[in-house]
Amino acid sequence: MNEELTGRLRTAAEAHQPDRARILARVERGMSGAAAHHRESSGARPWPRVALASLAAAGILAGGGFAVAAIVQPPPARPDISATPAAPSAPSAPWTPHVTPPAPTSGGPTVPDHSSSTSPSPEASGGTGSARPGSARVQDGPLSSAGSLDASSNTYWAQSNISLKTTQPLTALTLELRISQTGGVQSTGSWRTLPADDFTVTVQHEGGAVVYRWILKPGRTVPAGQHVFAGQYNHAAGEREAQHDGYRVDANGPRDALSVWGGFTPAR
């Protein structure tokens, strides 16, 4: 039975108003007709027949109402056999913060410098030694050098210059400048006359000194000529005492390894 027929039957059942008087009259007429053919010989009163007729009419009305209600009652919903219960989700693991342990450090702290980066020692990068004060060898074949305090140095700040001259191109170069920690020594920068992109520069505290290193990158060349490397730094008030400062240069020429080292003359 479709929904349209069900709706029409429901509307008709709700609008139906039974005429009880007509139904009772028809029942009484029917009962009276039957009594005319089968009259009782006794003089009993007719009220039992009336009561039975009333009960019969009420039963007819009730049965009709139940029948209409049964017709228009919507069928029970069928269970959806295709639906499957969802599997219970597994409880989520409690959140645990990720803590990264600090990386181990070695050696002295790196002095802040805009061009600083970590680099190996001179021995690991091709150098053969370290700058030491009190000795000097300022020339080795085509390579010569000189160290001096810059004339712009003052009571609280200084600049140490290394002038390097080579008559032949250099295919490897490590230059080390060592400034003794005499009190308040702190790097304020460095520079060189050669292209900055050709060198890796570091500034570190090592053995009671601030050490600058310039290392020529692989595949780069230092051309023949005169070149300047400079380290700048603050220091304790007073004239800079450079007798404990020093530099060393280790290089490779066209034929063999070259090394020069020395100290610094006072500013003029």
Side-chain angles (χ1 to χ4, degrees):
M1 184 179 294
N2 57 35
E3 295 182 0
E4 180 181 0
L5 179 57
T6 302
R8 293 175 61 182
L9 289 173
R10 184 182 293 109
T11 302
E14 293 175 353
H16 177 65
Q17 298 292 335
D19 191 344
R20 295 176 179 274
R22 291 181 61 187
I23 294 174
L24 289 175
R26 292 178 63 184
V27 171
E28 288 181 359
R29 285 196 300 272
M31 296 294 292
S32 297
H37 293 86
H38 305 283
R39 286 191 176 274
E40 296 179 354
S41 58
S42 63
R45 296 180 182 180
W47 68 267
R49 291 196 299 271
V50 175
L52 290 173
S54 299
L55 291 174
I60 292 171
L61 292 174
F66 290 147
V68 173
I71 291 173
V72 300
Q73 183 178 5
R78 297 176 60 190
D80 187 2
I81 62 175
S82 62
T84 58
S89 59
S92 59
W95 178 80
T96 304
H98 177 70
V99 179
T100 302
T105 59
S106 61
T110 300
V111 179
D113 188 272
H114 68 277
S115 60
S116 300
S117 63
T118 303
S119 69
S121 64
E123 290 79 0
S125 59
T128 57
S130 178
R132 301 296 178 192
S135 62
R137 186 176 78 175
V138 297
Q139 185 167 359
D140 185 7
L143 183 65
S144 59
S145 63
S148 64
L149 281 177
D150 194 86
S152 61
S153 302
N154 57 49
T155 304
Y156 301 98
W157 178 89
Q159 175 176 302
S160 296
N161 300 330
I162 302 103
S163 179
L164 194 64
K165 183 177 181 180
T166 177
T167 58
Q168 297 177 357
L170 305 176
T171 57
L173 174 69
T174 297
L175 190 153
E176 179 183 291
L177 165 63
R178 181 176 293 267
I179 305 299
S180 179
Q181 181 59 268
T182 55
V185 175
Q186 183 74 29
S187 174
T188 60
S190 64
W191 58 269
R192 79 235 54 78
T193 55
L194 291 166
D197 291 341
D198 287 357
F199 290 86
T200 299
V201 184
T202 64
V203 184
Q204 296 178 318
H205 287 284
E206 296 179 7
V210 176
V211 180
Y212 299 74
R213 286 193 183 93
W214 292 265
I215 301 175
L216 186 66
K217 294 179 180 180
R220 309 297 174 90
T221 302
V222 175
Q226 186 166 347
H227 314 289
V228 177
F229 296 78
Q232 301 171 330
Y233 49 93
N234 292 328
H235 58 79
E239 183 178 355
R240 176 62 190 167
E241 298 178 358
Q243 64 268 28
H244 299 295
D245 301 340
Y247 70 89
R248 180 184 178 99
V249 180
D250 295 292
N252 284 340
R255 295 185 178 85
D256 51 13
L258 306 169
S259 296
V260 293
W261 60 88
F264 297 89
T265 60
R268 296 183 178 84

